[in-house]
Structure formats: C-alpha cells, structure tokens
C-alpha cells in the first residue's frame, strides 16, 4: 500500500473510530480522574489588565492540560508570556483524558491542550460538544528505536520488531513499517484500524512482530532487533527522541489546543495562539523538546528525526 494512499485515507478515517480505540500521544499515562489547579502568579490583576493590550472582556485565561510536557510548556513559557501582556493565567492539570473536554464545554476552562484531532473529533461527536481545534503544539511522536540493531539499514530477513499492542498504536506501527518498506499493507484499508490481517506481504524481511504493552517497550529493547515506541513512554524511560531511527511522518497525531466554538474569534484566543507560535516559544520548544514533532505551520522547523524520505532502507541481508 502506498504512502500517498495511506495519507489520503487518514483524512477520512478518523471520524469512524471510537474514542476507546484512540490513544493520545505525548500525554500523561494515568487514568485517575483528578485535576489540580495551580495558583495564579501574584502581581497580575484586573487593574493591570485594564492598562494592557489584552482582551478587555477576558482578562483571565484558564488553561487545562495533562501533567507532563504540555503543562511544562505553560509553566515555563506560555504563562509568563501572557502575563507579561497583562493577562492572569491559571493552569489546571488533569490525569485523565475525559474531564479536560467536559470541563472546557462546561466553562471551567477557557482552553485545553492535551489531544490529537482524531480524539477531539470523535469525543465531541459522541458527547455532543461544541468544541473546535485552534493550533498544534509540539508532541512526542511514535518512533522506531534501536534494539539489538543500531541502524535503520541493519534490517535483515527474520528480524524481530516490537510494537505497542493496543489497536490504535499497533495500527500506526504497521503504517510505519509499510512506509519504511519493511512490509506491504493491503490497498484501501483503514490505516487507523490496521491489523495483522491487513498485511499483504511480509516476505521481504519475514518480520516477527512482538506485541507488548506500550509501557514495556522501552524495557524490552534488548530482546528485539528494533522497537517501535510511543514518544511519551520513550521520554518517561529517559530515551531521547533524537535517538529515534525513524518517526512517523504524518501530522495526524500531533496534538492540538481546543476551545469552545463560540470563542474562536475572541482576541484572547488570538493572543494565546500567538504565544504558542512566537519565536520565543519556538526556541524554547526546540531547546526543551528535541526530537518532538513540531506544529506543521512551523514549516522547516518541524523536522526532528529521519522519515521515510530520508531514512535509508537496505535490502535484506543473508543473516
């Protein structure tokens, strides 16, 4: 199956996939339904806001994220940038993937940042929520990492490749192997739900695919030749994303901010968007999150690790 076919199908396949089968990328992994509010920095007030270049009808912005890199982006850069402009900023962190959208729809948040668009589209449809995406944020991508083999062109017939065993990420792993030329997927399959039965040809390398719980993948690298690991589990295990031998080229799983649709033309939304796309934030992101998948709008700044266009794929060895 050709990469262009898969890319085209990704655009239409997401709406048909339920929330339970979509796994977020680059997010905290806990499922406990808790939220933590962080105090507003002293010195920001309505009086200060009144003299600043901010939205006069919305001087306080409540941002919800999952704990981890998205929260750090707010704490370490975005919050200070918006406060310098005159806003009050409150960060609320969650340890689950349901409450941030419900809290947003209920008005407890102004904006949330934790999910990719397929998840948002499906969640808001199934829960009848009037939400819309605004801008992308740096996200830890799925990648191929070294196991017993240390180079992407060390492929050989009979090699083993570990992959996450949940349906959504396993499908992504199959698409990655198809893009690398390691396997061939059937034509006209749904790339979001691809399974072993959708493999048309595995004869080139006769790969032994080892399915593991995502959290186990970093620890089992020495038991396989290559490991396909979720970006958040890689970083949690201390693996640098820049060590990836290959990263999925699709931007479908880069995470987005979300707001209520009624707010999409508000000045404060424009100001938050500009804060996340400013040169200052870009520099912070590149310095703090090397190897991440950066927003597509950043253009050449989004390159992080080799993709199918640059990663060499050798013919099968005789090992």
């Amino acid at each position: 199956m050709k990469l262009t076919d898969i890319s085209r199908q990704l655009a239409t396949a997401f709406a048909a996939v339920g929330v339970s089968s979509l796994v977020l990328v680059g997010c905290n992994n806990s499922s406990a339904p808790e939220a933590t509010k962080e105090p507003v920095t002293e010195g920001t007030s309505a009086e200060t806001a009144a003299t600043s270049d901010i939205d006069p009808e919305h001087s306080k912005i409540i941002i919800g994220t999952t704990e981890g890199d998205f929260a750090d982006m707010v704490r370490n850069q975005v919050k200070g940038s918006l406060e310098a402009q005159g806003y009050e900023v409150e960060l609320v962190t969650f340890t689950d993937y349901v409450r941030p959208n419900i809290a947003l729809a209920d008005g407890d948040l102004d904006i949330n940042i934790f999910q990719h668009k397929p998840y948002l589209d499906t969640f808001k449809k199934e829960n009848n929520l009037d939400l819309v995406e605004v801008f992308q944020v740096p996200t830890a991508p799925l990648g191929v990492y070294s196991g017993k083999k240390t180079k992407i062109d060390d492929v050989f017939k009979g090699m083993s490749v570990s992959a996450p065993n949940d349906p959504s990420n396993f499908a992504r792993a199959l698409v990655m192997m198809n893009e690398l030329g390691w396997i061939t997927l059937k034509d006209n399959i749904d790339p979001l739900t691809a399974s072993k039965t959708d493999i048309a040809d595995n004869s080139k390398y006769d790969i032994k695919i080892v399915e593991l719980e995502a959290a186990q993948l970093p620890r089992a690298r020495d038991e396989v030749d290559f490991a396909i690991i979720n970006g958040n589990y890689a970083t949690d295990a201390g693996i640098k994303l820049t060590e990836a031998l290959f990263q999925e080229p699709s931007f479908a799983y880069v995470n987005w901010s979300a707001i209520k649709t009624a707010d999409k033309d508000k000045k404060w939304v424009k100001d938050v968007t500009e804060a996340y796309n400013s040169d200052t934030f870009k520099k912070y992101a590149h310095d703090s999150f090397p190897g991440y998948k950066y927003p597509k709008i950043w253009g050449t700044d989004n390159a992080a690790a080799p993709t199918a266009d640059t990663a060499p794929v050798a013919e099968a060895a005789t090992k």
Side-chain angles (χ1 to χ4, degrees):
M1 186 178 188
K2 296 180 179 178
L3 173 58
T4 53
D5 295 330
I6 292 176
S7 299
R8 185 162 51 247
Q9 289 178 42
L10 278 169
T12 58
F14 292 143
V17 180
V19 169
S20 62
S21 66
L22 290 170
V23 177
L24 298 178
V25 178
C27 300
N28 181 279
N29 303 314
S30 172
S31 60
E34 300 176 355
T36 303
K37 293 184 178 180
E38 299 189 5
V40 177
T41 303
E42 293 184 5
T44 58
S45 65
E47 293 179 359
T48 301
T51 62
S52 305
D53 181 25
I54 67 170
D55 188 331
E57 299 179 352
H58 200 90
S59 61
K60 180 178 179 179
I61 302 172
I62 304 177
I63 303 174
T65 73
T66 46
E67 190 54 76
D69 46 10
F70 297 129
D72 288 341
M73 291 175 198
V74 177
R75 293 189 190 104
N76 300 333
Q77 216 286 319
V78 173
K79 188 173 188 285
S81 176
L82 290 170
E83 288 177 343
Q85 191 173 342
Y87 286 102
E88 288 186 28
V89 178
E90 180 179 327
L91 172 63
V92 179
T93 58
F94 295 84
T95 56
D96 73 297
Y97 305 142
V98 174
R99 295 185 68 204
N101 281 331
I102 300 300
L104 177 60
D106 287 346
D108 296 326
L109 302 176
D110 294 310
I111 185 170
N112 69 36
I113 299 164
F114 77 102
Q115 65 198 318
H116 53 56
K117 192 172 182 296
Y119 182 89
L120 172 62
D121 287 346
T122 305
F123 191 95
K124 68 183 184 182
K125 180 178 179 181
E126 293 188 348
N127 292 277
N128 194 29
L129 303 181
D130 194 11
L131 307 179
V132 65
E133 71 278 2
V134 188
F135 54 83
Q136 291 181 323
V137 294
T139 306
L142 194 70
V144 177
Y145 292 85
S146 61
K148 297 175 184 177
K149 301 299 179 181
T150 59
K151 297 179 181 179
I152 202 73
D153 57 357
D154 285 342
V155 291
F156 65 95
K157 199 172 184 69
M159 65 182 177
S160 58
V161 179
S162 61
N165 65 359
D166 62 277
S168 176
N169 285 310
F170 185 72
R172 294 167 68 189
L174 291 179
V175 170
M176 290 177 69
M177 286 188 276
N178 179 86
E179 290 165 344
L180 281 165
W182 290 0
I183 63 173
T184 301
L185 294 176
K186 297 176 182 177
D187 292 334
N188 302 317
I189 65 163
D190 182 346
L192 287 179
T193 60
S195 65
K196 283 185 176 180
T197 61
D198 294 314
I199 299 175
D201 187 5
N202 185 23
S203 62
K204 185 175 183 179
Y205 296 115
D206 192 20
I207 298 172
K208 178 184 178 183
I209 301 176
V210 181
E211 299 177 57
L212 298 172
E213 291 287 341
Q216 297 178 12
L217 292 166
R219 299 193 295 269
R221 290 172 70 188
D222 59 351
E223 299 175 12
V224 294
D225 296 301
F226 296 97
I228 298 177
I229 306 175
N230 301 70
N232 55 321
Y233 285 109
T235 57
D236 286 349
I239 302 171
K240 295 180 180 179
L241 298 185
T242 51
E243 296 176 9
L245 305 178
F246 174 82
Q247 289 179 343
E248 58 185 349
S250 172
F251 282 85
Y253 292 94
V254 174
N255 287 12
W256 288 78
S257 64
I259 60 170
K260 294 184 288 293
T261 302
D263 290 335
K264 63 185 180 65
D265 296 322
K266 300 289 182 64
K267 181 180 179 347
W268 68 265
V269 174
K270 178 181 178 182
D271 291 338
V272 175
T273 302
E274 289 180 350
Y276 271 92
N277 286 303
S278 67
D279 290 340
T280 300
F281 183 79
K282 288 180 182 179
K283 183 179 186 306
Y284 161 77
H286 282 89
D287 290 345
S288 303
F289 306 107
Y292 274 50
K293 195 80 170 179
Y294 302 120
K296 190 173 184 179
I297 196 174
W298 291 9
T300 55
D301 292 336
N302 60 45
T307 64
D309 294 329
T310 58
V313 180
E315 292 300 319
T318 57
K319 298 178 183 178

